[in-house]
Amino acid sequence: MSQDLKQYAAIIEQLKPMVNEPEFNQVLLQIASDVPKEKRFLIKMEVKRLAKPCMRTIDLRGHVDGKCKKYVHEGRTHYMDDIAVDKFEEQIRVFGRYTYGVYEAVQNTENNFRLMREKELAQERQERSNPELKKRSAVLEQFKVPTVNLLDYRQRNAERMNFAVAVELFNDKNESIRGLSVDISLEGLQVKLSKDTFFKKGETLHIFFRGLETEYALDKKNGIAYKLVKISTKNDVNYLALQRDSNYPNPAFDKFLENFIHGNKRRYKVNMSNTIEAIASKTSEQFFSPRCPTLPVFIDVISNTLVPRFAMANEVNRETLEYWQDEEDNCRLNFLLTQERLTRLLNKSEEVREIFVFSFTHFQNEKVYFYSAAVEELAQKDALMRAFLGFGSKKVSWRVFKVTLTDMVPEQAHIPTSIPDSVGNKIKKLNTPPSARLMSKLKNLRFLAHVTDVTSVTGQETYNEFTFNRDNLAHLRHFGHPRNRAASNIEIVRFKYDEKRIESRYQLRTQVTLRLNDDETVINGISEDISVHGLGLRIELKREYKGNLEGRVEVAFPKLQEIAPSFNVMHLQYEVMYHNADKNILHLKAVSGDAGKGARYFFEELIKKNKSSLKVEDTEEEIPGMGQALRCINARNATSLSFLMSKEGVRYVPQACIIGKQDERVTTLTTQFAEQGQVNVEFLFRDRKQESPFVQSGIKVVKHENTPLREELFISFDTAQKDPRMAIIPRYSSKFEDNKQRKAFIREAMTRGQFIAIHLMLTTTGKPDLSMLQTEINYVTMYAMHKAKELEKKMWSMAACSHLIDVTDEVLLRYGFSLDDITANKTLKSNPKGALLTQ
């Protein structure tokens, strides 16, 4: 509909049902009597146009915030979500058949991304023209979210009751101040004062409960002794945290207080701020841990030797674990976490214990040979570095891993509830520390290595461009790992969860031959992995692929044919979805229809029969509680920043942020324009007005394909700028035209202040494990049902998690910057001139 006619939309809606009736012109004159004649003519033509039969099919997949399904109407197949179907059927009734009016109405439903963007832009334009509206600040506020310390909350020794009563506080000099109690427990008291206090932290104060003296027989001559533990100020009011002083016992008051709290806690309500805080913390951990892309490896220290003992696999990081398995499924993580690398990490300062390790595998005679090298190991000789990176990146098995090392203590395995033991025996049991048997198994654990796959397609293509002397390839054997070395003695501990699993790619290293359908030429190669249902396949060829993208190829698996004679796997049909610059790495997808049925059916059966090795086993743990203990330790030592998002309407909104312990660069960036205890992640949503914003549309891709999504974000950071949009200039790596533009952006960012590169990963969240939360939820329900319902509603609204891994140093190395440049970029500097980058 044209802009001229939009003002007459209501009239057009009234005329639609009458368009095929004889009295249409008469109705038009009645309804639009006040409309100028030429406009009436345009309205008539528009209604007639809308009533014309339409031959177009409707496909809303990826265009609306809803799950689209097949809908057949009069032999024509459409793909629509429920909202669109309702609109379609409504308009069919209006027009009597499928017309352009039906088609256009379905294209403009309220949950259409295009329409939502148009409304958002129109609203922002309107508010910009009105200086009284502070739309911009309101928009930015939704991206400021509180930080959460996973499984770190206050546990109380006694229930605290909300209770406001007049009190008078005396010090040893007999100086006094009157105030009001806020809450009270058997062991403590919180008081607020309307004026500044002259009391000092650590001194003993004697409290008289003036508001209770008229109702209860309290000692009016001697106050109750409390020690001043903390003084805080909020909104110009001073709050004093006090703890009973054990040097001045008062059994009579203890008995009175116990009876008073027990009899009145329902009337005055138990103070549950720490329990609510605990539920928020545990809920965040529930959504973070099972889908975190980082593989945690727990390390013992035995006779000054670092020994990896346990690795905790979840739905997403299992790909890393499977990558380091050989053809006999032996764990070879010791090839990655060598003693030399762990020692090098340990000798670094605690804030920067990180290294990047490049790796690839070679498959020969049905055996897997692993090669890996850390940046420091390659930096000794430029020719060697170029040979390793240039050659290795041409392999389909090419990976880049970030490895960090952080301190930990076994005691972090104990996660009591936030509720005091005195509430009941069940609570007391839940608060009991782990068994001595379990703690003896953990007692030597001192460090936690986090391994994260940060491989990117753009990065691999860039390393492909490295030129090298092929004579230097012989030196790469130095980075090969001997097969006669014993496998890792690492125990794999898996999460237990029952929500829908995120599907992963499965390692499948075996010989393949590829033939173009219109050519008899055969190329030998090896496969790397297959995706869920066998739809996707990645292979590496020994010679260049001569075909085109989207070309059809035939793939044969001779070794698999030998072990699976009941299937024909020698003529499987695939389509080429991607190839690298050298055309030796192909990403394939089984063709649709009957032609690709053989590939889909075989690999579905293969995955189904071998998936048991990937599932959580139902057998009991050797030591009960081991998995939960390691999970708790890991959650308390996260090294990268992540934030959870809930779904509100058709948008995904950040809700809670987990800050990493060794993430100074990203932490500084996200807290630059946020209050204490918050982060500001607006820069990640800066593309929200574009056709396909990464976070919003990316989550929909993750939900649709049931697999994590990755992207690299380049950032120019200048703290001299006061405007967030000028201080933080983000650009997704895929938006650059070429590496020349990427290098120019990096150089200018380093000139302005600091360059930061983030490997951004999106995952959806599963269902929370209520067994870990139910006790505290029930406790809140007992005293504040509305609060419990609010917490549960928020819990079930969580839909996605975004993980931010700092890959700045690896990106700088990739684009040819020196080690001196990398070191200089670690220091945040400000450019007074504030040079601006061209977007």
Side-chain angles (χ1 to χ4, degrees):
M1 187 184 298
S2 67
Q3 285 295 126
D4 290 342
L5 289 174
K6 280 190 175 180
Q7 59 182 312
Y8 304 115
I11 294 175
I12 291 171
E13 284 299 316
Q14 292 180 63
L15 290 170
K16 279 181 181 180
M18 303 300 297
V19 66
N20 294 317
E21 300 298 328
E23 57 268 36
F24 174 72
N25 289 328
Q26 184 181 347
V27 174
L28 172 61
L29 284 170
Q30 290 174 351
I31 295 175
S33 58
D34 297 330
V35 178
K37 188 175 181 179
E38 62 272 20
K39 294 291 185 183
R40 279 206 306 270
F41 177 76
L42 292 175
I43 291 171
K44 179 179 178 179
M45 291 300 98
E46 175 64 10
V47 177
K48 293 286 187 182
R49 184 190 70 81
L50 293 173
K52 287 181 179 180
C54 181
M55 303 298 291
R56 295 182 182 181
T57 58
I58 300 170
D59 189 350
L60 298 179
R61 289 175 293 185
H63 296 283
V64 295
D65 183 47
K67 186 176 182 180
C68 294
K69 54 189 176 185
K70 184 187 290 187
Y71 183 95
V72 179
H73 177 263
E74 295 181 349
R76 189 177 288 109
T77 300
H78 306 286
Y79 289 90
M80 298 183 287
D81 66 315
D82 292 338
I83 293 175
V85 168
D86 290 343
K87 179 62 71 174
F88 182 94
E89 293 174 348
E90 171 201 291
Q91 293 297 303
I92 287 286
R93 290 192 294 271
V94 169
F95 287 103
R97 57 183 174 176
Y98 181 46
T99 69
Y100 280 96
V102 178
Y103 176 84
E104 291 178 14
V106 171
Q107 297 291 336
N108 290 291
T109 54
E110 60 190 13
N111 66 334
N112 188 285
F113 296 141
R114 172 185 52 78
L115 198 65
M116 289 189 291
R117 281 195 299 275
E118 289 174 358
K119 286 182 178 178
E120 187 177 80
L121 290 171
Q123 188 177 0
E124 287 191 12
R125 282 195 298 269
Q126 180 185 355
E127 290 173 338
R128 276 199 300 268
S129 65
N130 187 343
E132 295 179 6
L133 296 175
K134 297 182 180 179
K135 166 66 179 175
R136 184 173 176 181
S137 60
V139 169
L140 294 180
E141 281 301 313
Q142 68 178 312
F143 300 115
K144 292 181 179 179
V145 295
T147 58
V148 177
N149 294 318
L150 296 185
L151 305 184
D152 187 8
Y153 47 83
R154 294 165 293 162
Q155 188 197 23
R156 289 179 177 157
N157 295 323
E159 285 185 294
R160 184 177 295 182
M161 185 177 72
N162 291 322
F163 185 61
V165 64
V167 294
E168 189 170 6
L169 299 81
F170 286 83
N171 62 11
D172 290 341
K173 298 177 182 177
N174 210 34
E175 298 171 319
S176 70
I177 296 179
R178 282 186 175 264
L180 197 67
S181 66
V182 176
D183 51 49
I184 190 169
S185 70
L186 293 174
E187 298 179 356
L189 174 70
Q190 186 175 194
V191 172
K192 66 178 180 179
L193 308 175
S194 58
K195 59 180 179 179
D196 292 338
T197 176
F198 45 75
F199 300 138
K200 295 180 181 179
K201 182 179 174 181
E203 69 175 315
T204 296
L205 304 177
H206 292 269
I207 315 296
F208 290 85
F209 292 85
R210 301 303 188 193
L212 294 177
E213 288 175 351
T214 57
E215 194 173 348
Y216 297 96
L218 298 179
D219 189 342
K220 298 180 182 180
K221 294 182 180 180
N222 300 299
I224 308 302
Y226 284 86
K227 186 162 286 190
L228 181 53
V229 177
K230 182 182 177 183
I231 303 174
S232 57
T233 304
K234 186 178 181 181
N235 299 328
D236 297 324
V237 176
N238 288 310
Y239 289 85
L240 275 58
L242 302 141
Q243 188 175 22
R244 285 290 298 276
D245 193 332
S246 57
N247 294 321
Y248 299 87
N250 192 324
F253 181 77
D254 291 344
K255 186 65 177 176
F256 160 77
L257 193 56
E258 184 178 357
N259 293 334
F260 182 78
I261 291 176
H262 183 74
N264 291 281
K265 64 182 180 181
R266 288 188 180 274
R267 176 186 174 191
Y268 293 111
K269 306 294 185 188
V270 170
N271 184 307
M272 295 172 296
S273 58
N274 72 312
T275 301
I276 292 170
E277 176 190 351
I279 292 172
S281 177
K282 288 183 176 182
T283 299
S284 296
E285 190 276 333
Q286 291 276 303
F287 294 124
F288 167 79
S289 293
R291 301 277 172 90
C292 179
T294 296
L295 176 70
V297 182
F298 300 81
I299 298 175
D300 269 359
V301 178
I302 308 293
S303 302
N304 297 321
T305 302
L306 302 178
V307 182
R309 289 295 189 204
F310 307 100
M312 177 154 263
N314 64 24
E315 298 179 70
V316 179
N317 69 29
R318 68 184 185 207
E319 288 190 22
T320 298
L321 198 59
E322 289 160 9
Y323 177 85
W324 290 99
Q325 287 178 335
D326 61 20
E327 71 283 351
E328 296 179 349
D329 290 336
N330 294 315
C331 179
R332 294 291 185 173
L333 272 174
N334 55 324
F335 290 164
L336 173 67
L337 302 175
T338 64
Q339 191 62 216
E340 294 76 14
R341 289 172 189 162
L342 291 174
T343 303
R344 192 184 310 128
L345 279 167
L346 186 59
N347 290 335
K348 293 188 175 190
S349 63
E350 204 167 319
E351 296 76 24
V352 290
R353 285 183 186 161
E354 65 175 45
I355 58 171
F356 289 93
V357 180
F358 306 97
S359 69
F360 62 89
T361 61
H362 179 63
F363 191 76
Q364 186 175 2
N365 299 327
E366 297 298 310
K367 297 184 186 301
V368 182
Y369 296 83
F370 291 87
Y371 292 78
S372 72
V375 172
E376 292 86 347
E377 295 160 14
L378 294 171
Q380 299 170 11
K381 194 172 183 181
D382 184 64
L384 195 60
M385 177 182 286
R386 299 188 70 82
F388 189 97
L389 300 178
F391 175 78
S393 61
K394 290 178 172 56
K395 309 281 285 183
V396 71
S397 57
W398 173 256
R399 297 290 188 278
V400 181
F401 293 100
K402 180 178 179 179
V403 183
T404 62
L405 190 72
T406 184
D407 295 343
M408 55 137 292
V409 292
E411 288 71 27
Q412 291 174 325
H414 179 38
I415 305 295
T417 70
S418 58
I419 307 170
D421 290 354
S422 57
V423 171
N425 290 331
K426 182 180 178 182
I427 300 298
K428 189 174 183 180
K429 184 178 180 181
L430 289 172
N431 290 339
T432 304
S435 67
R437 182 187 176 200
L438 173 57
M439 292 308 293
S440 68
K441 190 83 171 177
L442 306 176
K443 67 179 181 181
N444 292 321
L445 296 182
R446 290 294 177 269
F447 299 103
L448 188 50
H450 281 116
V451 180
T452 312
D453 183 348
V454 293
T455 315
S456 74
V457 172
T458 305
Q460 188 169 5
E461 290 174 345
T462 302
Y463 290 125
N464 277 183
E465 297 173 6
F466 280 32
T467 57
F468 57 91
N469 186 337
R470 298 196 70 84
D471 292 340
N472 289 327
L473 292 180
H475 298 296
L476 297 188
R477 64 176 179 270
H478 173 72
F479 300 104
H481 298 285
R483 284 183 52 84
N484 58 5
R485 184 176 297 177
S488 302
N489 187 24
I490 297 177
E491 183 179 336
I492 308 302
V493 182
R494 300 186 186 275
F495 280 90
K496 289 189 175 180
Y497 39 77
D498 34 71
E499 69 270 16
K500 184 180 179 182
R501 295 166 59 89
I502 275 190
E503 298 296 353
S504 182
R505 301 187 73 89
Y506 301 104
Q507 294 293 330
L508 179 68
R509 296 183 177 115
T510 186
Q511 292 178 10
V512 298
T513 59
L514 179 140
R515 182 173 66 85
L516 276 67
N517 279 1
D518 55 355
D519 190 347
E520 292 302 317
T521 304
V522 173
I523 310 174
N524 293 323
I526 60 166
S527 63
E528 171 66 11
D529 53 38
I530 52 175
S531 65
V532 63
H533 308 314
L535 290 175
L537 173 69
R538 294 197 293 197
I539 63 173
E540 178 187 339
L541 302 175
K542 294 186 176 178
R543 289 191 289 111
E544 180 184 342
Y545 163 67
K546 299 290 186 181
N548 300 315
L549 281 177
E550 299 184 1
R552 187 176 287 192
V553 296
E554 183 180 275
V555 180
F557 294 85
K559 293 294 182 180
L560 291 182
Q561 187 64 72
E562 293 176 8
I563 60 175
S566 59
F567 295 91
N568 183 356
V569 294
M570 298 301 289
H571 305 282
L572 303 182
Q573 299 296 311
Y574 283 91
E575 185 180 359
V576 179
M577 307 304 294
Y578 164 86
H579 61 66
N580 64 343
D582 293 332
K583 289 191 171 184
N584 73 315
I585 293 176
L586 305 184
H587 294 190
L588 308 175
K589 182 180 179 181
V591 299
S592 56
D594 289 340
K597 188 176 180 180
R600 292 193 301 274
Y601 178 67
F602 171 71
F603 285 115
E604 278 183 4
E605 289 298 307
L606 181 71
I607 291 171
K608 191 186 298 182
K609 290 179 179 178
N610 291 277
K611 210 171 183 181
S612 58
S613 61
L614 301 171
K615 288 183 179 178
V616 180
E617 298 192 9
D618 295 328
T619 55
E620 293 184 5
E621 295 174 306
E622 180 184 348
I623 300 178
M626 173 63 79
Q628 179 66 12
L630 295 178
R631 174 174 175 168
C632 293
I633 293 172
N634 180 55
R636 287 176 153 181
N637 292 284
T639 52
S640 294
L641 185 144
S642 304
F643 64 91
L644 296 166
M645 288 174 281
S646 67
K647 188 175 183 183
E648 297 184 3
V650 297
R651 291 283 177 188
Y652 293 92
V653 181
Q655 292 293 342
C657 178
I658 300 135
I659 288 185
K661 284 192 171 183
Q662 294 178 330
D663 214 5
E664 184 179 352
R665 208 154 25 195
V666 176
T667 301
T668 302
L669 176 74
T670 53
T671 56
Q672 182 70 15
F673 296 98
E675 291 72 39
Q676 187 175 2
Q678 288 187 332
V679 295
N680 188 339
V681 293
E682 180 273 336
F683 65 92
L684 290 171
F685 298 81
R686 194 75 59 82
D687 65 341
R688 59 187 178 273
K689 299 171 190 173
Q690 295 179 9
E691 183 70 22
S692 182
F694 175 70
V695 174
Q696 301 293 349
S697 61
I699 295 172
K700 295 172 180 64
V701 172
V702 175
K703 290 176 70 176
H704 178 68
E705 298 184 359
N706 207 25
T707 185
L709 190 67
R710 301 169 182 263
E711 176 65 284
E712 272 187 352
L713 182 67
F714 288 5
I715 296 170
S716 174
F717 185 32
D718 179 10
T719 55
Q721 300 288 337
K722 301 305 178 186
D723 183 347
R725 295 186 68 85
M726 293 295 101
I728 302 173
I729 300 178
R731 193 165 181 187
Y732 286 101
S733 178
S734 58
K735 300 299 182 183
F736 292 98
E737 290 184 9
D738 52 35
N739 281 342
K740 184 178 180 181
Q741 285 191 1
R742 293 185 180 95
K743 290 176 185 177
F745 182 95
I746 294 171
R747 287 193 196 96
E748 193 166 353
M750 293 170 75
T751 301
R752 290 182 75 233
Q754 188 178 37
F755 168 71
I756 300 174
I758 293 173
H759 187 89
L760 181 60
M761 192 168 181
L762 296 178
T763 62
T764 52
T765 55
K767 297 176 184 176
D769 182 0
L770 291 178
S771 65
M772 292 180 65
L773 301 164
Q774 200 63 59
T775 300
E776 279 149 321
I777 289 175
N778 291 344
Y779 185 69
V780 175
T781 302
M782 192 184 304
Y783 299 108
M785 185 177 290
H786 68 287
K787 273 284 185 187
K789 287 183 176 179
E790 186 181 312
L791 287 167
E792 288 200 60
K793 182 181 178 181
K794 189 171 184 179
M795 182 191 309
W796 289 103
S797 74
M798 294 298 179
C801 190
S802 182
H803 307 270
L804 283 64
I805 298 99
D806 185 347
V807 291
T808 306
D809 294 355
E810 186 265 322
V811 170
L812 289 174
L813 177 79
R814 180 197 308 170
Y815 292 110
F817 290 87
S818 68
L819 293 179
D820 289 340
D821 292 331
I822 295 173
T823 302
N825 186 63
K826 291 182 185 295
T827 304
L828 178 62
K829 54 186 179 296
S830 296
N831 179 9
K833 296 179 182 179
L836 300 182
L837 293 167
T838 303
Q839 287 288 316

